[in-house]
Amino acid sequence: MFWVGIRRLVKYTNNPPDAAALMTSARSFGNYDLPSALADLLDNSIKAKAYSIDILCIRHDGEPVVRILDDGHGMSEEELYDAMRPASANPDDERAPDDLGRFGWGMKSASLSQCRHLTVLTRKEGVLSGASWDLDDLADWKMGILEPFEIENIANSKLLERDGTEVIWTKCDRLSEFGRVSSKGFNEIVAHAKSELALTFHRYIAGEFGLRKLKISFNGGLLAPVDPFLRDHLATQEGPVEHLELEGKPFNVQAFILPHFSKISSHDHERLGGEEGFVRNQGFYIYRQNRLIMHGTWFRLVRHGELSQLVRVAVSIPNSLDAIWKITVDKSEAQLPSGLRSRLKEIVKGLKSQSGKVFQSRGGRIKPTDGKTPVWAKYVRNGEVRYYLNREHPLILQLLEHENAEVAQSFMATLGVIEDCFPAISIGEDFAVRPEMMNQSALGRDAFIEHLETALPSLLARSEGSFEKLWELLQVTEPWAGQTSVVEEHLKSKGWW
Ligand SMILES: Nc1ncnc2c1ncn2[C@@H]1O[C@H](COP(=O)(O)OP(=O)(O)OP(=O)(O)O)[C@@H](O)[C@H]1O
Ligand SMILES: [Mg+2]
């Protein structure tokens, strides 16, 4: 090759990005929604050693405005200008162990994912500074600088009295879905953000693991921590903390099996996200620096339905493992490092039989002598076993005594057909091979209550319209007899008890 050895003269020119184009693209870095955008700002407040954070998400003249105020150490003017700069830090730099940041983008990209105008006011050692970006007025990276009197006019009065930082979002086009969100819709978005943050930062709000206890107020109300493992519930099974290492850096894993829904109050059930949260949110809970970044995934280590809905596994990783876990800019996702797959798979395998037992212990066994009215019964004659639907069960009886004789007859015939086709062999096989997977009880609290609600009119009729008799009947009749606390709570909520 003739040019080998020839020194090439390279000319350079500056080729910076177009400000408006780059900042508009930054709106789509990550996949922020309101809770994850707020979480990114809360990360910064935590890093700034804040004890208390006030979040305000309101509509002013129909326009959403969001303000996040902390009492952290604040920034000097120079620090603020650095912080406002996009990509203000190199993601490859080593971070202090308590730093929740990584990319030098969060404050900008999280804010601009929701709004077009970002103002940051800050006070450090008594000195106020303020700066702003406006996506509609960005030519040549023109950043707004706020004079002290302007800051005093718009800042939360608390910021004028003590150090801290206030981030203000206006022109919230994305948050209001370009003006399409109604006030009801906005309230729903805000309520969702509130409950997500109570979960995301629950370790900080509760001051666990030696963390500085954080007070977060949201539209005036204090957030209570939402513990996804219900650790204060007596029936929660807590596994040991396993200390693991990845590339010489320690992290830990701990498994929990939640109590069966019948043992959980409706309040706790709601706090865990209602039916959807309870059933869907099994899986790993990944905490980065003790803040939850993702949950409800098994990283494809477990096939769907292989584990009961009650298993949740906390994985707590330090920020030094960010690169290996491939933490995303919006800190809402991570990828399971390949070197860990087999170890976590083993941990999960050990949980299979345990979690099945929580379900297995519910229903399914026929105990003829316990005085309760079962749905299924069996008789043993001449060495033969036959399962049959109990004709004495009040729901069945109600239909058998239907005023329309044809309906009653056809129901009778239907019962016979169901019994004739009872899948005894299949059940036997499944139970022999995978007992932990057998789950024939009602799928969740909501389904259980729905079935009860449907049955109540007929049960009340059977009880001659008396609530007292109805309660007595429910206490001795399957499936309600096994879950009287849920039934009682439901009747009370209806004002029947
Ligand atoms: N509330 C705050 N109090 C004090 N300093 C802050 C605050 N918010 C941001 N900063 C400063 O601004 C810098 C830039 O914040 P930004 O969120 O944009 O990036 P980062 O936190 O470094 O990384 P990441 O993109 O991962 O969030 C922070 O490193 C911090 O020094
Ligand atoms: Mg940050």
Side-chain angles (χ1 to χ4, degrees):
M1 280 183 276
F2 83 98
W3 52 270
V4 171
I6 297 175
R7 250 184 88 220
R8 284 184 67 217
L9 281 177
V10 182
K11 288 206 289 187
Y12 295 102
T13 179
N14 275 347
N15 192 5
D18 177 74
L22 180 70
M23 289 297 258
T24 306
S25 312
R27 312 193 80 191
S28 307
F29 288 178
N31 195 10
Y32 287 106
D33 54 5
L34 178 63
S36 55
L38 288 172
D40 226 327
L41 298 186
L42 264 52
D43 283 351
N44 289 342
S45 301
I46 290 171
K47 180 198 166 190
K49 307 212 179 320
Y51 283 92
S52 114
I53 298 173
D54 295 328
I55 303 170
L56 209 60
C57 286
I58 50 163
R59 277 177 31 128
H60 188 68
D61 291 338
E63 287 290 320
V65 178
V66 178
R67 307 176 73 116
I68 303 103
L69 170 75
D70 69 44
D71 63 352
H73 54 53
M75 289 173 268
S76 66
E77 188 179 61
E78 199 186 333
E79 285 166 341
L80 172 64
Y81 296 172
D82 279 348
M84 290 297 278
R85 197 178 325 117
S88 53
N90 187 331
D92 287 341
D93 289 349
E94 199 170 313
R95 295 264 181 162
D98 63 343
D99 193 345
L100 289 150
R102 164 68 40 200
F103 297 97
W105 266 107
M107 188 171 78
K108 288 76 70 175
S109 54
S111 302
L112 297 176
S113 75
Q114 306 297 308
C115 73
R116 299 187 72 80
H117 191 108
L118 160 68
T119 306
V120 182
L121 310 175
T122 186
R123 187 183 123 142
K124 183 171 189 177
E125 291 158 10
V127 181
L128 286 163
S129 324
S132 67
W133 285 122
D134 188 333
L135 281 188
D136 300 315
D137 192 12
L138 259 183
D140 278 336
W141 296 107
K142 190 174 79 181
M143 184 177 79
I145 307 288
L146 282 89
E147 295 292 339
F149 79 89
E150 287 179 283
I151 300 173
E152 280 165 25
N153 270 343
I154 58 173
N156 185 311
S157 57
K158 287 186 192 167
L159 189 68
L160 306 177
E161 286 151 23
R162 52 149 168 75
D163 287 355
T165 299
E166 184 172 26
V167 176
I168 305 172
W169 302 344
T170 46
K171 294 209 244 174
C172 297
D173 59 345
R174 290 261 183 96
L175 179 54
S176 68
E177 289 172 21
F178 306 95
R180 281 195 289 269
V181 173
S182 63
S183 75
K184 181 166 171 271
F186 182 74
N187 290 343
E188 280 168 9
I189 293 173
V190 168
H192 173 65
K194 200 169 161 180
S195 58
E196 282 293 300
L197 292 179
L199 173 66
T200 305
F201 291 97
H202 76 92
R203 287 185 174 179
Y204 285 92
I205 303 173
E208 288 176 34
F209 301 100
L211 297 170
R212 200 177 39 250
K213 202 172 166 134
L214 186 65
K215 225 167 73 182
I216 304 178
S217 104
F218 199 119
N219 283 354
L222 273 188
L223 293 191
V226 171
D227 175 9
F229 312 114
L230 276 187
R231 280 166 301 168
D232 54 2
H233 198 291
L234 284 175
T236 296
Q237 296 175 39
E238 195 166 330
V241 180
E242 300 222 19
H243 296 278
L244 305 176
E245 244 184 40
L246 202 58
E247 304 203 344
K249 287 162 186 137
F251 70 100
N252 66 59
V253 178
Q254 187 179 20
F256 298 86
I257 301 174
L258 264 50
H260 187 266
F261 73 84
S262 60
K263 292 187 180 157
I264 294 179
S265 69
S266 61
H267 173 68
D268 281 340
H269 195 256
E270 272 319 298
R271 273 203 312 158
L272 286 172
E275 200 59 55
E276 196 198 6
F278 200 65
V279 175
R280 288 236 184 120
N281 291 341
Q282 57 165 299
F284 289 113
Y285 280 66
I286 311 292
Y287 292 83
R288 171 180 178 271
Q289 297 300 123
N290 288 308
R291 89 94 137 157
L292 187 61
I293 54 171
M294 66 188 298
H295 62 90
T297 171
W298 283 119
F299 294 118
R300 284 181 279 129
L301 285 180
V302 183
R303 262 177 288 138
H304 184 71
E306 219 175 336
L307 275 174
S308 90
Q309 304 147 0
L310 304 173
V311 181
R312 299 181 177 196
V313 182
V315 180
S316 306
I317 56 177
N319 62 7
S320 52
L321 286 173
D322 282 353
I324 304 173
W325 278 84
K326 300 203 181 107
I327 303 293
T328 54
V329 174
D330 55 4
K331 311 204 184 56
S332 67
E333 250 175 89
Q335 283 177 30
L336 181 63
S338 54
L340 258 186
R341 288 192 84 80
S342 53
R343 182 69 197 104
L344 285 190
K345 214 169 182 168
E346 261 173 51
I347 292 176
V348 167
K349 225 164 104 190
L351 289 166
K352 273 189 210 165
S353 53
Q354 243 180 313
S355 77
K357 278 183 203 132
V358 179
F359 264 109
Q360 255 173 273
S361 61
R362 300 273 131 202
R365 182 158 294 145
I366 292 172
K367 292 186 231 135
T369 52
D370 69 358
K372 309 251 164 76
T373 308
V375 177
W376 284 96
K378 69 173 176 182
Y379 59 72
V380 186
R381 200 183 296 153
N382 302 333
E384 271 179 15
V385 179
R386 182 174 166 88
Y387 286 87
Y388 64 96
L389 284 157
N390 178 18
R391 302 320 191 246
E392 305 294 316
H393 189 280
L395 279 190
I396 295 174
L397 200 53
Q398 185 77 8
L399 273 172
L400 289 176
E401 291 174 353
H402 198 279
E403 54 194 16
N404 182 331
E406 253 177 60
V407 173
Q409 260 174 8
S410 99
F411 183 64
M412 183 73 162
T414 309
L415 292 183
V417 169
I418 294 172
E419 289 162 349
D420 291 347
C421 299
F422 184 77
I425 294 175
S426 172
I427 292 173
E429 280 172 359
D430 287 339
F431 200 81
V433 183
R434 298 167 296 181
E436 73 279 4
M437 281 183 64
M438 297 293 291
N439 175 14
Q440 197 65 31
S441 55
L443 278 177
R445 190 190 180 94
D446 288 358
F448 179 79
I449 288 176
E450 198 185 311
H451 297 170
L452 168 64
E453 187 62 24
T454 317
L456 277 178
S458 126
L459 295 174
L460 189 61
R462 284 252 129 227
S463 314
E464 294 152 359
S466 149
F467 291 145
E468 212 165 302
K469 282 192 181 156
L470 170 71
W471 175 232
E472 278 168 20
L473 179 69
L474 286 164
Q475 280 177 299
V476 294
T477 308
E478 265 196 338
W480 310 292
Q483 302 183 24
T484 43
S485 57
V486 179
V487 174
E488 190 182 346
E489 211 174 323
H490 183 64
L491 293 186
K492 276 185 182 155
S493 76
K494 287 169 77 75
W496 284 17
W497 182 245

